[in-house]
Amino acid sequence: MMSFWKNKSPPAKYHGLLNQGATCYLNSVLQVLFMTEDFRAAVERDTSENPDHDCIDRHLTSLFADLKEREAYTYKITQKLGITRVYEQQDAAEYFEKILRLTRSGASEIFCGWLTHKTICAGCSTEAESDAAFWHLPLALVDSNSDYSVVDGIKDYFRSSEFSGDNQMYCDQCDDKSDATIKCVIKRHPEVLMLLLKRFEFNYSYMSYVKINRTVEVPFTLQIPENQTYELYAVVDHFGDLRGGHYTATIKDDEGWYTFNDTTVTLNEYQPFQVDNFERSSSAYLLFYRKMNAFCLLQMLKTTWRHLLLKSSCLLPSTTSVKMEG
């Protein structure tokens, strides 16, 4: 099973964030934003060009500057977000989106994609379209003893839905109800794609929210419809239950995967995805994938081929020349 949080003791080259009480949910997403270089550069550039603007950008720029040098404190960020109950845990995904909504578009658009929802009438073939922006794609985890596959979840998310019988939809062109097909396509792929694994669901038997601890099969590279490849670079994990849980972030740089656990930042002893494209995790909550361009794909293919050749050469039996005497 994936052990993103398993790390060793030597200090890392990055710095942590002080926990104000139960603000680990905020610390984890702030570290992801800091380690997303394009976002960090955009925020810093915007603050330089608009120093008097009241967006959260200037507070993020100040925090990022501190993180480059030392352990940092998030008081100005919590003030800007209106967080007063620092000892009350909140949802990391919710506050990640709150930060993006308070950030100027030059930076936040890195995480923003566009979906087109198409409704196709079976009677007259008329297509009705509506576009909507998104910060993340939610993947529903049904509580089950079997593992959940992110790859299959993406396929399910973009699978067409058929409506017929009592579920027919009204068509303006036909002026009547008719069978219909609804499908979702990506109009604009975000530079960074966030997948939200829906571990917190309302349970009507208990009339309260419960956490789903289902093991998830997480891919390192992920193919999204319209032929776009993404590569995993950050994971926000949630441990424990709804009220007594804890958030951490695991983020990849050029050297490897690091765990960001409030003030503690360490290089992981276990480096995932060394053998396979998949790892298993029962704590992964938010998955961050970076869009891969043609050059990155070429480099990845070269690396994969080198690993395969090395592996195959290790499996070949050694040969020695034998002198035949007769």
Side-chain angles (χ1 to χ4, degrees):
M1 184 175 293
M2 185 185 253
S3 301
F4 279 127
W5 57 93
K6 185 178 179 182
N7 50 65
K8 54 186 180 183
S9 55
K13 60 183 179 182
Y14 300 109
H15 303 282
L17 291 169
L18 289 161
N19 192 326
Q20 296 185 48
T23 56
C24 55
Y25 64 93
L26 182 63
N27 290 350
S28 61
V29 296
L30 285 172
Q31 290 285 18
V32 172
L33 291 173
F34 174 74
M35 295 291 286
T36 306
E37 294 180 2
D38 290 347
F39 178 84
R40 188 173 74 222
V43 165
E44 292 170 347
R45 181 172 59 253
D46 181 74
T47 302
S48 175
E49 296 171 355
N50 305 277
D52 299 324
H53 204 280
D54 195 37
C55 286
I56 200 172
D57 300 50
R58 60 190 180 94
H59 300 300
L60 290 172
T61 298
S62 176
L63 178 70
F64 293 166
D66 289 343
L67 275 176
K68 291 176 184 177
E69 304 293 333
R70 59 186 176 274
E71 193 174 272
Y73 193 56
T74 60
Y75 179 69
K76 290 181 180 179
I77 302 293
T78 53
Q79 271 193 321
K80 185 66 178 178
L81 292 172
I83 299 172
T84 56
R85 300 178 179 178
V86 295
Y87 288 95
E88 185 176 296
Q89 189 176 104
Q90 303 291 340
D91 181 20
E94 177 185 347
Y95 276 85
F96 180 78
E97 291 195 15
K98 282 187 176 182
I99 292 171
L100 293 181
R101 293 183 188 280
L102 292 173
T103 305
R104 286 174 67 89
S105 60
S108 62
E109 67 179 2
I110 292 169
F111 294 91
C112 183
W114 281 86
L115 290 172
T116 297
H117 297 273
K118 295 184 177 183
T119 303
I120 306 167
C121 174
C124 65
S125 300
T126 298
E127 290 190 14
E129 295 185 358
S130 61
D131 295 339
F134 69 92
W135 298 113
H136 70 265
L137 297 182
L139 301 182
L141 300 184
V142 179
D143 205 0
S144 170
N145 292 327
S146 62
D147 290 358
Y148 176 87
S149 166
V150 169
V151 172
D152 290 342
I154 289 293
K155 291 177 181 177
D156 289 340
Y157 188 90
F158 289 99
R159 184 173 284 119
S160 299
S161 299
E162 307 291 335
F163 293 86
S164 60
D166 293 338
N167 296 318
Q168 283 186 327
M169 304 188 71
Y170 182 80
C171 173
D172 290 332
Q173 191 72 22
C174 299
D175 193 24
D176 198 2
K177 285 187 174 182
S178 64
D179 294 351
T181 300
I182 293 182
K183 62 180 180 180
C184 180
V185 297
I186 289 191
K187 184 177 182 179
R188 176 184 178 272
H189 290 86
E191 290 301 312
V192 174
L193 172 68
M194 185 179 90
L195 301 182
L196 186 154
L197 303 175
K198 297 177 70 175
R199 292 197 179 276
F200 309 118
E201 290 287 344
F202 191 81
N203 186 300
Y204 287 94
S205 298
Y206 298 100
M207 293 306 293
S208 65
Y209 279 91
V210 296
K211 184 182 176 185
I212 300 173
N213 293 304
R214 188 176 180 183
T215 298
V216 175
E217 193 177 68
V218 179
F220 181 55
T221 57
L222 179 66
Q223 191 78 16
I224 298 295
E226 317 309 323
N227 198 31
Q228 179 59 57
T229 303
Y230 282 86
E231 183 178 272
L232 185 72
Y233 78 98
V235 177
V236 170
D237 285 287
H238 182 270
F239 305 96
D241 57 27
L242 285 172
R243 301 190 180 278
H246 182 64
Y247 286 96
T248 67
T250 306
I251 309 171
K252 180 181 180 294
D253 74 355
D254 293 337
E255 293 184 4
W257 292 87
Y258 288 80
T259 293
F260 295 76
N261 184 2
D262 290 333
T263 55
T264 304
V265 183
T266 47
L267 178 64
N268 284 13
E269 181 179 3
Y270 172 75
Q271 290 291 316
F273 307 109
Q274 297 298 303
V275 178
D276 199 354
N277 186 55
F278 297 92
E279 294 280 354
R280 298 167 67 243
S281 173
S282 59
S283 59
Y285 177 45
L286 306 178
L287 307 176
F288 295 85
Y289 285 86
R290 184 181 286 112
K291 185 193 287 186
M292 297 186 71
N293 56 34
F295 176 77
C296 292
L297 283 170
L298 181 61
Q299 294 300 109
M300 183 188 73
L301 288 172
K302 286 181 178 179
T303 302
T304 302
W305 273 110
R306 280 197 295 267
H307 286 165
L308 289 173
L309 288 171
L310 181 62
K311 186 176 180 180
S312 61
S313 65
C314 292
L315 294 175
L316 290 173
S318 59
T319 58
T320 56
S321 57
V322 179
K323 184 177 180 181
M324 301 296 291
E325 295 183 358

